[in-house]
Amino acid sequence: MIKSAKKQSLPIKKELRAFLLTSGASFLLLLLLFSPQAGLEGARTGLLLCAEIVIPTLFPFLVLSSFVIRLGIAERFGRLFARLTAILFRLPGASASVLLLGILGGYPVGASACAELVEKGVLTRAEGNRLLSFCINSSPAYIIGAVGAGLLHSAKAGALLYAAHVLSSLLVGLLLGMSGTKRAASVSDPKRTVSMSAPGALVTSVTDAAHSMLGISAFVVFFSALSALLFSTGLVEACAHLTSLLPGMHWVDAETAQTLLKGFFEVSGGCDAAVRNGQFTLEALSAFLSWSGLSVVFQVLFTVRDTGLSARGYVACRPLHMLFSVLLTILLFTLFPVAIPTLAGAAPFTLAMHNAPASAALLFACAVLLLARAKV
């Protein structure tokens, strides 16, 4: 009886899911038809974000991370840290290079490097899923440069946010390692050490990174347009008003609701809105950076789509990462006070267009490389 009831519930769940997805897509399509200007402005903001931040900061790291893995450098580098990663995270030594790339390269460089090692057989699928849960982080260039110096006008504040961000990620990895299966420190299986020639590795790395970059940019533009469409309906303000009527929720206003929604969809827009809002700014920045935004979640799904890896563990660990990051942010800013300009009255962070032509040319070059590879 129980098994038959479960079998009957599966089609119902699938039909309900299909109905919700269809209804949501139809609603957004109607919004786009009746409010095209809002969608246009949102898409334009997303394109500008890609041209100024996403492409210049991510593309080189995507190429280099793939290059060092295809040359076999990751495995050789990993042997130095095999014992350390086995003890702390119960993962092979090669995972150390993935973690380092994820910490320095920003999202979703860690996912790309992790997928590469799984495809080569250096990591098992279970190990890849566990590593994926904590190897995807924001880059120091973004947190210290864009968020710290750009939004908060304090590189020191950005450095403290970055320290809290990385330490909380390592704590998540340590907790996951406690439940993981112990792995031998050696990764010298001959099948796993096959490497490519340097020219072949470079060509493949650049073309693969170009393909990933186009997909990542598409998600950024889409979610930027989506959030702009939702704001244009007035539903966000109405939900904020209803929430503010609840006990202890008087601090929730329309601007705060928009900030939370922007942070949920896309991390850059959420950080900008958090600074302009001025309520719980450091905590909100820390939480948004740890959550990474629905846009990054789909970028991770896009990156690991053909590897058998699942992003469920990554998504499930985001609340834990957020909790650790917020607590560490409070602790670090208490121990090392930083003078930050008045946030509520600060001018909104705008993206200058001085690098846009070069970034657009880089995006065009990515498309040309993809077309050239498709013809081959």
Side-chain angles (χ1 to χ4, degrees):
M1 292 293 292
I2 297 177
K3 290 184 178 180
S4 62
K6 288 183 177 180
K7 289 182 179 179
Q8 291 176 358
S9 64
L10 288 177
I12 296 176
K13 289 182 179 179
K14 289 182 178 179
E15 291 180 2
L16 179 61
R17 181 182 179 184
F19 172 76
L20 293 176
L21 290 174
T22 304
S23 301
S26 301
F27 175 70
L28 293 174
L29 182 60
L30 290 175
L31 281 180
L32 191 59
L33 291 174
F34 289 100
S35 184
Q37 189 61 32
L40 179 64
E41 290 298 326
R44 182 181 289 115
T45 301
L47 286 171
L48 184 57
L49 185 64
C50 290
E52 283 294 314
I53 294 180
V54 177
I55 296 175
T57 57
L58 278 187
F59 185 74
F61 276 100
L62 285 173
V63 174
L64 291 175
S65 63
S66 179
F67 184 66
V68 298
I69 290 174
R70 292 182 184 279
L71 282 181
I73 298 174
E75 293 180 42
R76 292 193 289 271
F77 176 80
R79 290 191 183 96
L80 300 175
F81 300 92
R83 187 175 298 276
L84 182 63
T85 54
I87 294 174
L88 295 180
F89 309 116
R90 297 197 177 189
L91 290 170
S95 60
S97 61
V98 176
L99 187 58
L100 182 62
L101 288 169
I103 290 174
L104 297 178
Y107 10 71
V109 173
S112 178
C114 181
E116 293 267 6
L117 290 187
V118 172
E119 287 182 330
K120 289 188 64 178
V122 177
L123 297 177
T124 65
R125 188 176 299 177
E127 291 168 341
N129 283 327
R130 186 146 52 88
L131 179 59
L132 193 69
S133 299
F134 67 96
C135 73
I136 304 170
N137 301 283
S138 184
S139 68
Y142 180 73
I143 297 183
I144 299 176
V147 177
L151 291 176
L152 298 176
H153 308 291
S154 171
K156 183 179 179 181
L160 292 179
L161 284 172
Y162 180 68
H165 184 74
V166 173
L167 289 174
S168 60
S169 180
L170 296 178
L171 285 175
V172 172
L174 288 173
L175 290 178
L176 293 176
M178 293 178 183
S179 60
T181 304
K182 192 172 182 179
R183 172 75 177 266
S186 175
V187 289
S188 58
D189 187 343
K191 179 182 176 182
R192 299 177 179 178
T193 55
V194 176
S195 58
M196 300 175 61
S197 64
L202 181 60
V203 172
T204 305
S205 299
V206 171
T207 52
D208 285 351
H211 184 262
S212 298
M213 200 71 259
L214 289 174
I216 290 168
S217 299
F219 282 119
V220 172
V221 174
F222 172 74
F223 281 105
S224 179
L226 177 61
S227 59
L229 284 173
L230 291 177
F231 295 152
S232 68
T233 63
L235 293 176
V236 177
E237 289 83 352
C239 291
H241 176 69
L242 293 176
T243 304
S244 65
L245 299 178
L246 297 175
M249 302 298 290
H250 59 277
W251 53 273
V252 179
D253 53 16
E255 186 178 2
T256 301
Q258 286 191 6
T259 299
L260 294 175
L261 191 60
K262 284 183 177 180
F264 175 76
F265 280 134
E266 208 280 315
V267 63
S268 299
C271 289
D272 180 32
V275 172
R276 287 188 282 110
N277 185 25
Q279 294 194 66
F280 309 106
T281 302
L282 295 175
E283 294 86 347
L285 288 173
S286 182
F288 290 161
L289 290 168
S290 298
W291 161 239
S292 72
L294 201 59
S295 175
V296 172
V297 172
F298 277 91
Q299 291 170 31
V300 173
L301 288 172
F302 176 80
T303 303
V304 303
R305 66 194 183 285
D306 297 325
T307 63
L309 294 175
S310 173
R312 291 180 180 178
Y314 169 71
V315 176
C317 288
R318 291 309 89 200
L320 187 60
H321 192 182
M322 291 168 65
L323 175 63
F324 285 155
S325 186
V326 170
L327 292 177
L328 285 172
T329 296
I330 296 173
L331 176 62
L332 289 176
F333 276 88
T334 302
L335 295 176
F336 308 100
V338 178
I340 300 176
T342 303
L343 296 174
F349 178 63
T350 56
L351 300 174
M353 285 296 292
H354 59 277
N355 286 328
S359 300
L362 181 58
L363 190 60
F364 176 75
C366 292
V368 172
L369 283 169
L370 285 176
L371 292 175
R373 189 183 183 192
K375 291 180 180 179
V376 176

